Amino acid sequence: MHRVSSRELNQDVGRAKRAAEDRLGLITDLGLPSLILLSWTEYQRLSGGRRNLAEILAKRGLSEIPCELDKSALEDQMLT
């Protein structure tokens, strides 16, 4: 993991971006871990890629989760 301080990041963003293309980057504040910098490709890989609402709702086991909607609350929200 590439480690860079927030000060170094401010001074040379390009270097941090190039490093994140190859590996995760750890950004520190006062020597303590603060943020993780990663490439879009790596983010997509870790997050399971792009999904739409239909794919999420069709996920196996999701229909077994109890869910009750308060119809009057939904109607109130639609009116405001």
Side-chain angles (χ1 to χ4, degrees):
M1 182 177 296
H2 178 71
R3 187 178 189 117
V4 63
S5 71
S6 57
R7 177 177 284 191
E8 291 170 322
L9 176 67
N10 287 334
Q11 292 173 351
D12 194 353
V13 173
R15 184 175 69 110
K17 286 171 58 177
R18 286 187 298 277
E21 290 174 1
D22 299 327
R23 59 187 188 267
L24 293 177
L26 174 62
I27 301 169
T28 61
D29 274 327
L30 303 173
L32 300 173
S34 176
L35 301 166
I36 294 291
L37 182 65
L38 67 152
S39 69
W40 179 251
T41 304
E42 185 66 5
Y43 169 77
Q44 291 284 42
R45 186 186 72 77
L46 291 172
S47 68
R50 188 173 178 183
R51 297 177 293 182
N52 63 35
L53 183 59
E55 290 170 339
I56 294 168
L57 293 174
K59 188 171 180 166
R60 177 187 241 158
L62 189 62
S63 63
E64 298 167 10
I65 298 172
C67 178
E68 293 183 25
L69 299 176
D70 181 358
K71 187 176 178 181
S72 61
L74 291 173
E75 290 171 348
D76 290 344
Q77 286 182 358
M78 291 175 66
L79 295 175
T80 58

